[in-house]
Amino acid sequence: MFDKILIANRGEIAVRVMRAAKELGIATVAVYSTADKDAMHVKLADESVCIGPPLASESYLYIPALIAACEITGADAVHPGYGFLSENARFAEVLQDHGIAFIGPKPEHIRIMGDKIEAKKTAKRLGIPCVPGSEGGINDDLEARRISGEIGYPVLVKAAAGGGGRGMKVARNEGELSAALSTARQEAKAAFGDDAVYLEKYLEKPRHIEIQVLGDGRGNAVHLGERDCSLQRRHQKIWEEGPSPALDVEERMKIGEVVAKAMRELHYLGVGTVEFLYENGEFYFIEMNTRIQVEHPVTEMITGIDLVNEQIKVAAGGVLPYKQSDIVFHGHAIECRVNAEHPVSFRPSPGRITYYHPPGGLGVRVDSAVYQGYTIPPHYDSLMGKLIVHGRTRTECLMRLRRALDEFVVDGIDTTLPLFRTLVRTKDILDGAYDIHWLEEFLADGGMDGKDST
């Protein structure tokens, strides 16, 4: 087992990793920018090292500073959390070159799954169902028109190195295709430094379903069920739940075993999430995230398995202690991402929290790194915490969520709490009848008009 883990991240995920490490008896090192000197992860760590100014490229993304922090403190492993360098294969390789363990997948798997085109080819090879589309990057408009004609409009142009909805454009007919290609390439080049794009069939009303996996790199792997992440705005998830209201047990176990079998064949190491669009009873692979997910607590609540704990143990060379038959699902869980944003416009709202009262009680969990008097800096992601609730049934879970949201008080900044208080009282949400476009249509139709935004 590791002696000391450096957490190359900040915010609630840094605190989450520290908790898991401490329960394993492992010392922790926090790194922080000057903007985060008063952050909770700095206060809770056994040691802390300042790695640079607020700009992420000069601190949390600056590999030499992170390596130096490991050498100064004697950390023998690094947990990257999510975001920042968590899916950077080069970072994993540099750590290995310095004799420091990377708590994550093998670099080659990060690299393959980080390229959308290679990921799709690999998924097909492993027997994972994929969205119809181009086999690789699109070289010119003529090729795009040919492929679009074969798979049928509408089509989705996607950046090969994309993420977060950037470099994605819909073309509903041939007349829109050229402009969609041009715009997607420009966005991809600006956001990722790579203008390669590919084509997929555009699904009109799909749900976003993801399968959580865990492997030990030795050919042992299991799936831990699915999460439904269909409530999104601008391709960013805000609400996740498991099990999905759209799937039955047979569908769940069938797609789960397809994914677990693929991870065994790949000899995948650590945690990962294979993401699908689901429509009319069919699953279509879209990407794999080779890291811990923001929404991992949903899976923890319905399985009772500490994913970060297991992630650390297999990275240290441990053998997976579970067979698929050992994974049992209990009840229902929902996570709301509480962002420091206006609940309607989603305008970021950094600033000082003047009053903070998180909810509690049976089946309620709050993963956060804020506290009363803390000032949320403007330099990073607006996620201030996550509210996760569990119930024996989805109905009980929704009622518990309603109660917890009514208890949750954050003053001094705008948050998305009012949005969730509205959603948890909305018929389509209560019925589980939503897709990836539902939230934006709800907001466009004035679903939050007249609602209290404090």
Side-chain angles (χ1 to χ4, degrees), residues 100-409:
I100 303 165
F102 178 75
I103 301 175
K106 302 168 186 176
E108 60 265 33
H109 293 157
I110 299 174
R111 189 166 280 117
I112 288 169
M113 293 303 175
D115 183 312
K116 298 291 180 65
I117 294 171
E118 285 303 312
K120 188 174 180 180
K121 289 179 180 177
T122 302
K124 281 187 175 180
R125 177 176 63 81
L126 294 171
I128 298 173
C130 295
V131 182
S134 60
E135 291 297 319
I138 297 296
N139 296 313
D140 53 48
D141 288 15
L142 184 63
E143 181 185 12
R145 284 196 295 273
R146 177 182 62 78
I147 294 171
S148 299
E150 291 173 357
I151 64 177
Y153 289 94
V155 297
L156 184 62
V157 185
K158 300 178 72 174
R166 290 170 293 183
M168 294 174 58
K169 296 295 171 185
V170 177
R172 296 193 172 275
N173 52 58
E174 186 173 320
E176 295 180 1
L177 184 59
S178 180
L181 287 164
S182 176
T183 304
R185 286 192 180 108
Q186 290 172 10
E187 288 186 6
K189 183 68 174 178
F192 312 112
D194 181 355
D195 67 355
V197 297
Y198 64 106
L199 283 178
E200 284 183 350
K201 175 69 176 174
Y202 180 67
L203 304 176
E204 293 285 359
K205 293 285 186 180
R207 295 183 81 115
H208 187 135
I209 306 291
E210 58 187 30
I211 307 295
Q212 176 70 60
V213 295
L214 171 64
D216 62 9
R218 306 180 186 194
N220 303 308
V222 295
H223 75 86
L224 295 100
E226 88 284 1
R227 297 181 293 257
D228 194 318
C229 306
S230 303
L231 279 175
Q232 305 177 11
R233 53 96 183 168
R234 301 171 194 157
H235 303 284
Q236 296 288 331
K237 305 165 187 173
I238 69 160
W239 163 306
E240 301 97 353
E241 63 180 296
S244 168
L247 303 188
D248 58 30
V249 174
E250 183 179 351
E251 288 176 307
R252 175 175 307 114
M253 300 311 291
K254 182 178 179 181
I255 191 62
E257 182 52 35
V258 167
V259 172
K261 181 176 180 292
M263 295 303 106
R264 294 178 200 124
E265 185 175 335
L266 202 59
H267 282 219
Y268 186 77
L269 173 63
V271 298
T273 303
V274 181
E275 306 204 359
F276 295 90
L277 293 179
Y278 171 81
E279 189 172 69
N280 299 324
E282 299 292 334
F283 290 90
Y284 302 101
F285 171 83
I286 48 176
E287 66 179 350
M288 180 177 182
N289 289 313
T290 54
R291 53 172 167 78
I292 197 74
Q293 293 274 96
V294 176
E295 58 271 24
H296 75 272
V298 170
T299 299
E300 293 181 333
M301 297 290 263
I302 62 174
T303 63
I305 294 173
D306 184 325
L307 289 175
V308 179
N309 182 303
E310 298 299 335
Q311 185 184 23
I312 293 170
K313 289 193 288 189
V314 295
V319 177
L320 192 68
Y322 308 104
K323 296 184 177 65
Q324 191 61 55
S325 58
D326 297 325
I327 308 300
V328 181
F329 304 103
H330 302 280
H332 198 93
I334 299 174
E335 173 182 290
C336 296
R337 299 192 189 190
V338 183
N339 293 333
E341 298 174 345
H342 189 276
V344 179
S345 69
F346 300 107
R347 181 184 64 253
S349 181
R352 185 172 181 270
I353 297 174
T354 57
Y355 185 78
Y356 179 70
H357 178 79
L362 180 66
V364 176
R365 168 178 169 180
V366 177
D367 280 17
S368 180
V370 304
Y371 52 87
Q372 191 164 309
Y374 175 67
T375 298
I376 296 177
H379 314 286
Y380 311 111
D381 185 270
S382 60
L383 181 68
M384 58 162 281
K386 305 175 307 197
L387 170 61
I388 311 103
V389 299
H390 180 266
R392 290 170 297 180
T393 65
R394 186 171 187 265
T395 298
E396 181 178 87
C397 188
L398 285 163
M399 293 305 294
R400 184 161 288 155
L401 177 59
R402 181 184 296 187
R403 185 266 296 172
L405 286 165
D406 287 344
E407 288 181 19
F408 210 151
V409 181

